[in-house]
C-alpha cells in the first residue's frame, strides 16, 4: 500500500498541480487474483462542491494512476518471485558456499543468511538444507505459526517446477519399489535394504524418539500387508491348539504398554572400522532409539496355545513376513524362559508411540523383547513356534555373534559362540559433534546411556581432557524400575571450559547397577562383525578464541 500511495501521489502531482487534497478519499480495493482486469475505482468526495467537473477528471486520473501503479508493482513482483527451480537445483544448495536453500510446499527459499539466527541452532536447520521443511516442521509443532511463515516469506526466491511434483511410477520388478517414504533427516547407511539412523542432535532431543526418525534396520524389502487379512500363526504345544490370530484377536488380549529402547548390535560399528576393517553397515551412534510400545504379552498368547515352561531347554522362534527372492524370511529366537516370564514383558506389539506401527517398524505386528538386542525384535511377524533349539535362521546362527580380536574370516567358527541376546552397557555423546567449535566459558554436553537385560544406568562420567579427570553428568528421563530398566537415560553436563584451552577431548562412560562399565578403548573388543562396540565414546572439539 505504501508503494501504491507513493505512485498515485506522484502521478497526481504530474497530472495536476494540486494545492490541497480533500479530507476523505475512499478507493475501492482492486482484485489481486490472476484474472484481474483494470477497473476505475469509484470516488466519494467531501468538502468544496465547486469545480465538479474538475473533480471528476481528477477522480479519473486518480483511478488510472492507482491502476497503473498497482499493475507495475504486480509485474515487478511477479518477475522477482516466480523463477522456477527443479528439486535437483535445490538439492545442490546445501552449504554457505553454494547457498542454503529449502522448500515449503511449492515455494523455494534461500535461508543462507538466517541459518546462524535459527533459534534451535544452525545444525537443526542445516538438516533440511537442499530439501523440504515439512518433515522437520512435523517434528516441531512450534513452526506451524503465522509469524514463522511470515519470517520465512522474506527469504522466498521462487517456485518448484510443477513437473517435480509428479509421483514416480512404481517399477513392479524392483522388490524395493514399494518401500515407504522415509524422513529426510535420517542418515542413510544403505538404501536396499533400507538402513538409517537419526543425526545425533535429533536423537536426544526427546526422551521418546518420534516415529519418523526412529532408527531403521531392515534386512529385506518392506512387505505391504493388509491389516484386514493379516493373520499371526501360533504353533500349538503338543496336545494344545494352534492359533490363527487376526489383529482384532490380538486386541482382545489384555493390552500392555512399556517404554523400551532398541539398539542394533552394530551400533557404533564405525569406530571399530577405524581400528581394522569389519564386515557390516557403518553405523555411527544412532542405531538406537526409544519408543512407547503397546500390545499383547507373548506369554499370554503362548499360554492360550497350550505352551508352558519346560524342564529342558527350549526356544521361541519368530518368523517375519519379509522375504528374499528365494522366499527365505527373516527369523530369530529367544529362550522360552524369557518369553513365558510375565516379568520379562515381551510384547506382540501393534502400537508405537500411540499409533499403529509404521511399515518400516513392523506393521501390523512385531515382537518387542525388552533388554535384548534389536535383531530378536522380529518385524512383520507371521509365525511363532516353540522349538528344542534356537532358530535356524542365518541371522540367528551365522550372524550377530561376538568373537576374539584374533578371529578372522578364515578361522571363524560361528557354532562356537552364543547368539547375542542381552547387550552390554553403552553410552555416547550426541552434542557437541566431533570437530565442532564450541564457545569459551561453558560447554553443554549431552548424550544417552543404556544397558541390556533390564540393568539400570546408575552413573555417567564425563571428561573434558581425554580421561584424566572426570565429572558426573545429570541423568534425565523416566525413573528406572529394578531389573526392568528397559529404556535409556538421557544425560547432560554443563562444565566450565578451562581458561586458555583451545581444544577439548570429551569422553563419556556409563556404569550400570551391576557395576559393569564400558572399556576404555576399541582395540581389545574389536571383532570381525563389528558388533558390541561399547568403548568410551570420544569427541574432539575446538574452542572459539
Amino acid at each position: 500500500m505504501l508503494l501504491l500511495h507513493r505512485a498515485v501521489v506522484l502521478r497526481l502531482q504530474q497530472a495536476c498541480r494540486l494545492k490541497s487534497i480533500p479530507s476523505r478519499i475512499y478507493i475501492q480495493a482492486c482484485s489481486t487474483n490472476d484474472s484481474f482486469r483494470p477497473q476505475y475505482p469509484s470516488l466519494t468526495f467531501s468538502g468544496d462542491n465547486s469545480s465538479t467537473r474538475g473533480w471528476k477528471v481528477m477522480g479519473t486520473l486518480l483511478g488510472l494512476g492507482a491502476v497503473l501503479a498497482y499493475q507495475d508493482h504486480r509485474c515487478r513482483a511477479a518477475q522477482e518471485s516466480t523463477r522456477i527451480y527443479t528439486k535437483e537445483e535445490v538439492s545442490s544448495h546445501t552449504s554457505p558456499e553454494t547457498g542454503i536453500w529449502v522448500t515449503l510446499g511449492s515455494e523455494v527459499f534461500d535461508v543462507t543468511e538466517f541459518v546462524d539466527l535459527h533459534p534451535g541452532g544452525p545444525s537443526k536447520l542445516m538438516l533440511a538444507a537442499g530439501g523440504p521443511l515439512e518433515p522437520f516442521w512435523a517434528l516441531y509443532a512450534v513452526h506451524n505459526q503465522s509469524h514463522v511463515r511470515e519470517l520465512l516469506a522474506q527469504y522466498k526466491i521462487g517456485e518448484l517446477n510443477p513437473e517435480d511434483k509428479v509421483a514416480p511410477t512404481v517399477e513392479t520388478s524392483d522388490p524395493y519399489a514399494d518401500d515407504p517414504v522415509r524422513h529426510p533427516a535420517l542418515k542413510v547407511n544403505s538404501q536396499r535394504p533400507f538402513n538409517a539412523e537419526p543425526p545425533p542432535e535429533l536423537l536426544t532431543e526427546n526422551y521418546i524418539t518420534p516415529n519418523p526418525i526412529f532408527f531403521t534396520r531392515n534386512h529385506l524389502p518392506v512387505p505391504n500387508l493388509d491389516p484386514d487379512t493379516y493373520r499371526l500363526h501360533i504353533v500349538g504345544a503338543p496336545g494344545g491348539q494352534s492359533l490363527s490370530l487376526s489383529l482384532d484377536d490380538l486386541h482382545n488380549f489384555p493390552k500392555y504398554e512399556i517404554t523400551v529402547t532398541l539398539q542394533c548390535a552394530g551400533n557404533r560399528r564405525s569406530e571399530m572400522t577405524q581400528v581394522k576393517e569389519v564386515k557390516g553397515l557403518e553405523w555411527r551412534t544412532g542405531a538406537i532409539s526409544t519408543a512407547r510400545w503397546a500390545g499383547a504379552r507373548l506369554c499370554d498368547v503362548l499360554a492360550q496355545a497350550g505352551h508352558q515352561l519346560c524342564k529342558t531347554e527350549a526356544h521361541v522362534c519368530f518368523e517375519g513376513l519379509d522375504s528374499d527372492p528365494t522366499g527365505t524370511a527373516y527369523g530369530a529366537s529367544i529362550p522360552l524362559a524369557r518369553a513365558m516370564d510375565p516379568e520379562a514383558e515381551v510384547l506382540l506389539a501393534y502400537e508405537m508411540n500411540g499409533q499403529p506401527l509404521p511399515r518400516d517398524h513392523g506393521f501390523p505386528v512385531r515382537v518387542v523383547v525388552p533388554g535384548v538386542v534389536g535383531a530378536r525384535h522380529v518385524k512383520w511377524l507371521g509365525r511363532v513356534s516353540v522349538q528344542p533349539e534356537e532358530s535356524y535362521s542365518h541371522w540367528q546362527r551365522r550372524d550377530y555373534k561376538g568373537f576374539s580380536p584374533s578371529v578372522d574370516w578364515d578361522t571363524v567358527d560361528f557354532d562356537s559362540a552364543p547368539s547375542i541376546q542381552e547387550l552390554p552397557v553403552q553410552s555416547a555423546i550426541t552434542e557437541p559433534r566431533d570437530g565442532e567449535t564450541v564457545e569459551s566459558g561453558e560447554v553443554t554436553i549431552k548424550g544417552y546411556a543404556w544397558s541390556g537385560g533390564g540393568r539400570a544406568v546408575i552413573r555417567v562420567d564425563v571428561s573434558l581432557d581425554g580421561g584424566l579427570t572426570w565429572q558426573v553428568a545429570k541423568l534425565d528421563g523416566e525413573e528406572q524400575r529394578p531389573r526392568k530398566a528397559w529404556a535409556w537415560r538421557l544425560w547432560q553436563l554443563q562444565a566450565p571450559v578451562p581458561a586458555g584451552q583451545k581444544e577439548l577431548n570429551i569422553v563419556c562412560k556409563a556404569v550400570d547397577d551391576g557395576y559393569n562399565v564400558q572399556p576404555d578403548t576399541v582395540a581389545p573388543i574389536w571383532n570381525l562383525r563389528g558388533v558390541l562396540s561399547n568403548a568410551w565414546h570420544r569427541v574432539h572439539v575446538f574452542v572459539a578464541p
Side-chain angles (χ1 to χ4, degrees), residues 28-260:
Q28 187 178 39
C30 299
S31 171
T32 58
N33 63 33
D34 292 336
S35 60
F36 171 78
R37 292 181 180 179
Q39 296 181 355
Y40 295 148
S42 62
L43 304 172
T44 303
F45 300 88
S46 64
D48 192 352
N49 292 324
S50 63
S51 305
T52 303
R53 185 177 179 183
W55 279 114
K56 289 182 179 180
V57 172
M58 188 191 306
T60 301
L61 291 172
L62 178 63
L64 179 60
V67 169
L68 291 173
Y70 184 66
Q71 285 291 84
D72 287 346
H73 177 62
R74 288 192 72 220
C75 289
R76 285 196 302 271
Q79 291 172 354
E80 293 173 0
S81 65
T82 57
R83 182 169 177 182
I84 303 300
Y85 298 98
T86 64
K87 285 185 178 179
E88 184 177 359
E89 286 179 288
V90 174
S91 67
S92 66
H93 290 77
T94 57
S95 69
E97 291 73 29
T98 61
I100 300 163
W101 293 9
V102 296
T103 66
L104 185 67
S106 61
E107 298 177 303
V108 180
F109 305 88
D110 182 347
V111 296
T112 309
E113 296 179 358
F114 179 70
V115 169
D116 288 335
L117 305 176
H118 185 246
S123 64
K124 301 290 195 305
L125 183 53
M126 286 300 294
L127 293 171
L133 287 171
E134 286 90 341
F136 300 92
W137 282 23
L139 293 177
Y140 302 103
V142 68
H143 292 98
N144 293 316
Q145 300 183 49
S146 58
H147 74 274
V148 177
R149 291 181 177 270
E150 290 169 6
L151 177 64
L152 181 64
Q154 302 175 32
Y155 299 94
K156 181 175 177 179
I157 58 173
E159 301 276 339
L160 276 176
N161 188 334
E163 295 181 3
D164 278 347
K165 300 176 188 176
V166 179
T169 57
V170 175
E171 296 290 340
T172 55
S173 60
D174 180 1
Y176 295 96
D178 195 32
D179 269 16
V181 176
R182 279 85 181 207
H183 197 284
L186 291 171
K187 302 299 183 183
V188 179
N189 288 319
S190 73
Q191 284 284 0
R192 299 169 180 236
F194 187 80
N195 291 280
E197 60 190 294
E201 57 266 40
L202 290 186
L203 181 60
T204 51
E205 277 283 299
N206 301 283
Y207 179 72
I208 298 295
T209 312
N211 290 356
I213 60 169
F214 198 99
F215 91 94
T216 301
R217 177 64 173 112
N218 294 334
H219 297 82
L220 299 163
V222 177
N224 196 352
L225 304 174
D226 183 350
D228 294 327
T229 60
Y230 169 80
R231 295 295 182 272
L232 172 59
H233 299 285
I234 311 292
V235 178
Q241 182 179 4
S242 293
L243 307 176
S244 180
L245 302 176
S246 66
L247 267 180
D248 287 340
D249 293 331
L250 277 176
H251 280 267
N252 288 332
F253 285 88
K255 182 179 179 180
Y256 289 83
E257 294 187 39
I258 51 174
T259 303
V260 177

Side-chain angles (χ1 to χ4, degrees), residues 12-27:
L12 284 174
Q13 288 175 339
Q14 292 173 344
C16 51
R17 296 175 182 175
L18 298 177
K19 295 183 179 179
S20 63
I21 297 178
S23 59
R24 300 202 326 263
I25 300 179
Y26 298 93
I27 304 178

Side-chain angles (χ1 to χ4, degrees), residues 263 268 271 424-429 448-451 457 459-461 470 491 507-512 515-521 525 532-538:
Q263 181 180 220
R268 297 180 58 195
E271 295 165 54
V425 63
Q426 174 73 281
S427 72
I429 300 162
Y448 64 78
W450 180 78
S451 191
V457 170
R459 195 178 77 238
V460 174
D461 299 324
W470 297 90
W491 56 265
V507 180
C508 74
K509 60 182 176 73
V511 183
D512 69 20
Y515 287 98
N516 301 297
V517 65
Q518 295 170 253
D520 59 346
T521 57
I525 61 171
L532 308 170
S533 180
N534 73 325
W536 296 357
H537 189 225
R538 302 169 185 269

Side-chain angles (χ1 to χ4, degrees), residues 297-538:
R297 289 192 309 190
L298 177 60
C299 61
D300 293 338
V301 175
L302 289 176
Q304 185 161 315
H307 291 287
Q308 55 187 355
L309 281 175
C310 305
K311 292 182 179 180
T312 57
E313 183 180 3
H315 301 262
V316 179
C317 299
F318 308 113
E319 190 173 296
L321 293 170
D322 51 335
S323 60
D324 66 16
T326 69
T328 301
Y330 183 85
S333 62
I334 62 173
L336 177 63
R338 183 184 292 272
M340 293 299 296
D341 183 1
E343 295 298 306
E345 300 185 298
V346 181
L347 292 185
L348 301 178
Y350 44 75
E351 287 182 6
M352 178 180 179
N353 294 332
Q355 300 175 351
L357 294 175
R359 280 184 62 203
D360 258 333
H361 300 291
F363 179 83
V365 177
R366 74 173 300 164
V367 184
V368 173
V369 192
V372 167
V373 66
R376 314 303 169 214
H377 299 235
V378 175
K379 300 188 281 189
W380 314 290
L381 189 63
R383 188 174 186 270
V384 179
S385 63
V386 176
Q387 304 293 339
E389 296 187 28
E390 65 178 358
S391 170
Y392 280 91
S393 165
H394 164 83
W395 293 281
Q396 186 81 23
R397 300 271 182 142
R398 292 293 180 268
D399 203 351
Y400 299 119
K401 296 185 176 185
F403 297 94
S404 167
S406 63
V407 174
D408 59 26
W409 289 102
D410 294 325
T411 60
V412 64
D413 177 10
F414 277 95
D415 291 329
S416 68
S419 301
I420 298 171
Q421 293 285 341
E422 297 179 0
L423 287 169
V425 63
Q426 174 73 281
S427 72
I429 300 162
T430 56
E431 293 184 47
R433 300 284 300 272
D434 190 56
E436 189 176 327
T437 298
V438 300
E439 295 298 322
S440 58
E442 188 175 69
V443 61
T444 298
I445 306 163
K446 297 181 180 181
Y448 64 78
W450 180 78
S451 191
R455 294 179 292 275
V457 170
I458 61 171
R459 195 178 77 238
V460 174
D461 299 324
V462 180
S463 173
L464 303 187
D465 52 19
L468 296 177
T469 61
W470 297 90
Q471 303 177 59
V472 178
K474 177 180 177 291
L475 299 179
D476 298 320
E478 295 180 3
E479 288 298 319
Q480 298 185 318
R481 299 173 294 167
R483 299 175 302 281
K484 291 186 179 181
W486 307 133
W488 61 13
R489 297 299 297 266
L490 302 184
W491 56 265
Q492 62 175 307
L493 174 72
Q494 290 182 312
V497 175
Q501 202 74 23
K502 297 181 179 179
E503 301 178 9
L504 299 177
N505 292 307
I506 306 174
V507 180
C508 74
K509 60 182 176 73
V511 183
D512 69 20
D513 61 11
Y515 287 98
N516 301 297
V517 65
Q518 295 170 253
D520 59 346
T521 57
V522 176
I525 61 171
W526 182 95
N527 58 87
L528 77 174
R529 278 291 283 119
V531 294
L532 308 170
S533 180
N534 73 325
W536 296 357
H537 189 225
R538 302 169 185 269

